[in-house]
Amino acid sequence: MLPIVGIGAGLVSALLFAVVITGSPLAFLLYSAAPLPIFIAALGWNHRAGLVATAAGAIAGMIALSFAAGLNFALIVALPAWWIAYLALLARNDDTGGAEWYPLGHLLVWIAAIAALTTVGSALVMTTDYDTYRTVIARVIENLLSEMVRSRYITLPADVKVSELALTLAPAVPVGIGASFVTTIVANLWLAAKAVQVSGRLPRPWPFIPATTVPRRALILLGLAMATATLGGFIGVAGAAMTGALLAVFMFSGLATIHDLTRGKAWRGPALISVYLALFVMQALLTPLLSLAGIVDSLLGRRKAPSPPSVPPMPNA
């Protein structure tokens, strides 16, 4: 049963990965769901099913597309999803004989690291020459800005050239890409875990998500990433991507903080609806505030989850 599930999940994931070559908006949406089958297989049938799915999807990509496409699928989509699922089901016995599951805050840091590596890997797939990479990114930004100016979505001062502005903004693009990868991975992980939980196959009890706190050492990592982002070349790309990824992680921690602090309050529902609507409408303004809330929460490290029922750990190896 496990090999069949793994092979099926790998083929579906590879198909979702491959449709991006069509370039349509729907294709990009399907591409973002490529890790989902791997997550479901690894969470519901243990991590070995995830490895089988990785191998099956990579082989299918090599046969149907090219060796490089199959390798990219394995490195950018499948192996990261397998590793995150492996960590999510990692457990050890605590002092009372119950199961102590891998903390969500630590899992988020791993997701940030994987998002940064994926960002750099995607850039290197495009080209191994940094000047060429920056030129391509600047051209994409220039086309986008030109279209926005032409459609009158934005107005630029007369002395500002679109090409120069695009070249200035290019180094910041990895920050957004790293953050978007974190959001995509977290969304796929949550959907997969919820689906597996509904099916009754999730080995660990559903975690108390509002208690999620990012470990303090992630702040040191954020400082190092910001310093590295000032360097040139792909090292700077890696630093910028890690900066964006960690800020996205702290944003999720900030959302968890709001969920936790509003528990039991009569105005909880309207408050949460307002926050999510504001995040959708004013993302550029609210995201930094939520990240700041997550950073403060990490410094305080004060929130704890209610005691879960004692569940013996599942074998993970």
Side-chain angles (χ1 to χ4, degrees), residues 127-261:
T127 177
T128 56
D129 180 71
Y130 176 71
D131 290 334
T132 302
Y133 166 77
R134 186 175 178 180
T135 300
V136 171
I137 294 298
R139 189 178 301 123
V140 172
I141 298 175
E142 182 179 353
N143 292 337
L144 179 61
L145 288 175
S146 298
E147 182 60 32
M148 294 176 71
V149 170
R150 188 162 41 250
S151 303
R152 298 183 179 179
Y153 287 119
I154 61 172
T155 302
L156 297 178
D159 59 340
V160 174
K161 294 184 178 180
V162 174
S163 58
E164 295 178 356
L165 179 59
L167 198 60
T168 302
L169 293 175
V173 168
V175 176
I177 296 176
S180 66
F181 270 128
V182 167
T183 303
T184 300
I185 294 172
V186 169
N188 278 284
L189 178 61
W190 187 90
L191 286 171
K194 182 58 69 174
V196 174
Q197 183 203 29
V198 170
S199 71
R201 297 194 62 91
L202 189 64
R204 67 177 289 174
W206 191 260
F208 184 70
I209 296 178
T212 303
T213 299
V214 180
R216 287 193 186 97
R217 57 179 173 271
L219 295 172
I220 300 175
L221 190 59
L222 177 61
L224 292 174
M226 294 176 70
T228 305
T230 62
L231 304 177
F234 285 108
I235 295 178
V237 172
M242 191 64 181
T243 298
L246 284 172
L247 289 175
V249 161
F250 282 115
M251 180 203 71
F252 280 111
S253 179
L255 282 173
T257 302
I258 293 175
H259 276 266
D260 190 33
L261 295 178

Side-chain angles (χ1 to χ4, degrees), residues 27 41 43 95 108 118 122 155 167 199 208 215 218 221 272 287 298 300-301 312:
L43 292 174
D95 296 335
L108 283 175
T118 302
S122 300
T155 302
L167 198 60
S199 71
F208 184 70
L221 190 59
L272 292 179
T287 298
S298 182
L300 296 177

Side-chain angles (χ1 to χ4, degrees), residues 51-76:
L51 285 177
V52 172
T54 298
I59 293 172
M62 291 175 184
I63 294 174
L65 298 176
S66 66
F67 178 83
L71 185 62
N72 290 337
F73 165 79
L75 296 179
I76 294 176

